[in-house]
Amino acid sequence: MSDVSGDTAMRTGRVEAFSDGVFAIAITLLILEIRLPEKPGHHLWEALVGLWPSYLAYAVTFMLIGMVWMNHHRMFHHIRRADGMLLALNLLLLMDVAFLPFPTHVLAEAITEGEGSGAAAVFYGVILVIGGIFFNGLWWYASAGHRHLGDSITPAEARALRIRWGMGPVLYLVATIVGAVSAIASLCLYVFLLIFYFFDMRPRTR
């Protein structure tokens, strides 16, 4: 196996620590977007139930960010060195993750109001597609020629992960297109993708 050496390479500990912090903040900020309508009065239960789009969008995005974090952790289990390009690609991924609370709020509000839900679902999906592209760009760069990988994974296994993870942006795009017709259907599709990722995206053992 090849390994990265030299003055331009660095360990990944700080990269992982910083990334974990961004994931944690983004996933926590989601709850701040759920707000009770002003002065619900005697209709508190009705107001709470009426927030179901916010609950649904929160739960789906929470789990999506969590799944990205899990796969990011698995990715860096195999990455042994970092350089400037890898840091830049990781930063772009984190920028997308940190932005997700906003389209989540936009989608929940649009479904609640019953107006613009298609546009909101497409906006939400586009952000996920972009994040998927950044995630895969990070892995493709790290695994090309096994340049940043250690002995925990073979070149064949790295290629297999490129294929499996590469399906993500494509599937997100499908859900985005569905969202243009039905925002609820697109969220249901994201739930299916979560289940798929959880059971299928784990690295295979040799």
Side-chain angles (χ1 to χ4, degrees):
M1 299 292 176
S2 63
D3 202 356
V4 177
S5 60
D7 295 336
T8 59
M10 62 196 80
R11 297 289 180 178
T12 62
R14 291 188 64 188
V15 180
E16 295 178 75
F18 177 72
S19 300
D20 286 347
V22 173
F23 280 113
I25 292 172
I27 213 168
T28 301
L29 288 176
L30 288 172
I31 192 61
L32 299 180
E33 299 297 339
I34 301 180
R35 301 184 181 92
L36 186 67
E38 294 183 5
K39 299 180 180 180
H42 297 292
H43 303 287
L44 178 59
W45 277 114
E46 182 179 346
L48 290 173
V49 172
L51 291 173
W52 68 265
S54 295
Y55 304 146
L56 178 60
Y58 164 80
V60 171
T61 307
F62 188 102
M63 295 304 297
L64 282 171
I65 293 178
M67 190 57 63
V68 174
W69 171 78
M70 290 172 65
N71 281 313
H72 187 272
H73 176 70
R74 291 162 181 158
M75 180 191 298
F76 273 85
H77 173 72
H78 302 301
I79 296 175
R80 291 291 180 262
R81 299 288 189 275
D83 60 13
M85 179 59 71
L86 188 140
L87 294 178
L89 291 169
N90 190 69
L91 196 62
L92 288 172
L93 170 61
L94 297 179
M95 179 179 67
D96 184 89
V97 169
F99 187 71
L100 273 172
F102 176 63
T104 301
H105 177 66
V106 171
L107 179 58
E109 286 293 307
I111 295 175
T112 300
E113 298 297 328
E115 296 181 1
S117 60
V122 170
F123 176 52
Y124 179 86
V126 167
I127 302 304
L128 292 178
V129 170
I130 293 172
I133 292 172
F134 289 152
F135 183 94
N136 280 275
L138 177 61
W139 179 243
W140 275 75
Y141 177 76
S143 63
H146 226 73
R147 64 158 66 93
H148 288 292
L149 306 185
D151 295 334
S152 62
I153 189 170
T154 67
E157 290 169 335
R159 286 192 297 270
L161 277 180
R162 285 201 294 267
I163 294 172
R164 297 213 308 276
W165 278 336
M167 295 171 61
V170 176
L171 296 175
Y172 286 145
L173 181 59
V174 172
T176 301
I177 295 172
V178 171
V181 178
S182 172
I184 297 300
S186 69
L187 285 173
C188 292
L189 186 53
Y190 290 129
V191 172
F192 169 78
L193 295 180
L194 282 168
I195 297 172
F196 171 77
Y197 277 133
F198 185 82
F199 288 103
D200 188 70
M201 291 305 198
R202 291 170 294 178
R204 271 51 169 172
T205 57
R206 283 179 279 175

